[in-house]
Amino acid sequence: MNTKRTDTRRPPFLARLAGQAVARLYLRRPELAEVIAIRYRSVRGLLLGIGNEIAYRLGLSRAPGLISANLELTNHCNLKCSFCPTGNGLLARPRGFMEPDVFRRALRGAGPLEFTLLFQWGESLLHPHFTQLAREARAHGARTLVTTNGTLIDERRVNALLDAGLDRITVSVDGDATTHERVRGVPLARTEAGLDRLIAERDRRGLDTAVDVSMVVAPETEAAAEAFGDRYRDRVERVQKIPLLTCGERRTRCREPWRGGLVVLQDGRVTVCCVDHDGELAFGDVRKQRLRDLWNAPALRELRRRHVRGDLPPVCARCTEYPTDAAAPRFSRRSESSSEAPHLQLPDAGRRPRRPRPAASAEEGAA
């Protein structure tokens, strides 16, 4: 990897120092230091994060501030990944593309944000106005991030993607060539072609955009986790491994209602957690309410109270993660981890039928 501008792609020194301190001394999970540094890069972000954590610890229903927003540009995808509800037919809500007006309302109503993630459940590069919307998010003042499966980063789109001014681009890869194709249905070579094209063009232009790769550690991919890290460590800024979401029995409250992020689904509805892929916890709509007002809206405050009482809504009560030493859990405790993955192996009687999905056209895929 060209390391000429690597330092400018990393979080500032103070953010990295704070990340190390919080991860090692407070959370006692040193593997989270980099994630914390990326999320809390500014003094404002760090102070809000500390305030939100204190509110979580004290069980308060009101938390100091909104830090970030996930804006789901679309829940369409050009792949059918086996453990993603968008690809395996388990997503129950309608498919669509976020209207630019909905996107702008979300940003205008959010107030100052530390970052926006232009992704949730779908392939964001399918949105016909991706570049324009990404630029508008950047103009709002927040850092902009996106996650992509990489298969659409061709010669035409790579420049549009980089022209969008994104701070960080994450490409999803699942293990090695065998596991990646088994999970995603496309050859790893196709994904890597997009990744390599992105890195080469970024370096040629001398841009500060950070490029990461991310892997979901699941029963199919776990054996490839170590080799995955070795394969990409010297090619990208960060190698991330996250455990598969599974269905178990959660017994403890979750940090997500306090952490500082809200999720805006493609139709404008707002939920508090990326795990909530069908919007079961949706409690607002950016077409009618400001995002910053929803952060401490009565419905979200009641959800926090329910977590404190141990009265978890179904989507929270069944949220656990695949038990693995290859990745740290994000939402649950290791003692609650479960290897049960109903979205991989469902009895026929409980399986929802796949909904027909139109193939992505060249126009839909324009970045």
Side-chain angles (χ1 to χ4, degrees):
M1 183 183 70
N2 183 343
T3 57
K4 180 179 178 181
R5 299 171 68 91
T6 297
D7 285 344
T8 61
R9 296 175 192 142
R10 301 179 66 195
F13 172 74
L14 288 179
R16 299 200 304 271
L17 186 64
Q20 288 284 348
V22 172
R24 292 179 181 276
L25 302 178
Y26 176 63
L27 297 176
R28 300 193 184 281
R29 291 174 59 184
E31 71 276 6
L32 295 180
E34 189 173 25
V35 175
I36 294 169
I38 290 171
R39 184 175 178 87
Y40 306 104
R41 289 178 63 128
S42 71
V43 173
R44 174 186 176 273
L46 185 61
L47 291 176
L48 283 178
I50 292 172
N52 288 342
E53 176 66 12
I54 290 173
Y56 163 76
R57 285 291 184 180
L58 295 178
L60 305 179
S61 68
R62 185 180 291 275
L66 181 63
I67 295 172
S68 66
N70 292 16
L71 304 179
E72 184 184 67
L73 299 189
T74 182
N75 55 353
H76 282 290
C77 189
N78 62 318
L79 300 185
K80 295 183 178 180
C81 303
S82 60
F83 46 60
C84 174
T86 305
N88 64 19
L90 294 183
L91 193 73
R93 58 191 168 93
R95 309 295 176 108
F97 296 90
M98 182 176 284
E99 294 289 341
D101 182 62
V102 172
F103 183 89
R104 291 167 189 141
R105 283 174 180 267
L107 285 178
R108 285 198 302 267
L113 294 171
E114 292 298 305
F115 66 90
T116 55
L117 175 62
L118 307 179
F119 165 80
Q120 193 51 54
W121 294 101
E123 173 51 56
S124 297
L125 299 193
L126 288 172
H127 198 289
H129 305 297
F130 174 82
T131 302
Q132 175 188 342
L133 297 180
R135 285 173 172 166
E136 291 183 21
R138 182 65 181 267
H140 182 74
R143 291 179 291 119
T144 52
L145 294 69
V146 72
T147 297
T148 173
N149 61 45
T151 61
L152 299 177
I153 307 178
D154 55 19
E155 295 289 350
R156 177 171 61 90
R157 292 188 183 91
V158 69
N159 285 301
L161 186 55
L162 291 170
D163 288 344
L166 295 156
D167 291 86
R168 184 171 294 270
I169 301 169
T170 299
V171 177
S172 297
V173 176
D174 283 306
D176 56 25
T178 301
T179 59
H180 183 84
E181 186 163 2
R182 182 186 305 155
V183 168
R184 295 186 170 265
V186 295
L188 177 59
R190 180 179 170 187
T191 300
E192 284 200 331
L195 174 65
D196 292 342
R197 187 175 292 118
L198 175 63
I199 293 172
E201 183 60 21
R202 176 205 59 183
D203 290 348
R204 187 189 71 78
R205 293 169 58 173
L207 301 177
D208 294 335
T209 306
V211 177
D212 303 337
V213 292
S214 179
M215 166 188 173
V216 175
V217 180
E220 308 97 314
T221 63
E222 187 173 22
E226 184 175 353
F228 167 81
D230 295 339
R231 184 182 183 96
Y232 297 105
R233 190 167 292 111
D234 294 330
R235 295 164 65 181
V236 298
E237 275 63 60
R238 181 172 66 131
V239 174
Q240 176 179 249
K241 289 177 278 190
I242 57 178
L244 174 72
L245 290 170
T246 55
C247 187
E249 184 179 350
R250 186 185 188 93
R251 297 177 296 278
T252 58
R253 59 179 157 153
C254 179
R255 274 189 172 85
E256 285 306 297
W258 286 268
R259 199 186 298 273
L262 290 177
V263 177
V264 183
L265 302 176
Q266 61 84 15
D267 60 2
R269 292 182 302 138
V270 178
T271 183
V272 74
C273 180
C274 65
V275 176
D276 184 22
H277 60 77
D278 273 328
E280 294 179 44
L281 300 176
F283 60 92
D285 192 317
V286 297
R287 294 168 295 186
K288 304 172 184 176
Q289 299 144 299
R290 297 187 305 180
L291 206 57
R292 62 176 177 268
D293 294 336
L294 289 172
W295 176 242
N296 279 309
L300 184 49
R301 294 184 66 187
E302 177 55 25
L303 176 64
R304 292 173 184 142
R305 294 188 191 101
R306 290 187 66 177
H307 270 254
V308 172
R309 296 194 303 264
D311 175 26
L312 304 182
V315 68
C316 301
R318 63 178 179 255
C319 175
T320 56
E321 294 164 279
Y322 177 64
T324 176
D325 292 332
R330 298 168 295 161
F331 305 106
S332 59
R333 297 184 179 182
R334 287 193 181 274
S335 60
E336 298 169 331
S337 60
S338 170
S339 58
E340 182 184 354
H343 44 297
L344 295 178
Q345 299 292 333
L346 281 179
D348 290 341
R351 186 183 298 275
R352 292 177 185 153
R354 288 186 183 275
R355 288 172 169 75
R357 179 173 51 221
S361 66
E363 288 74 20
E364 284 181 323

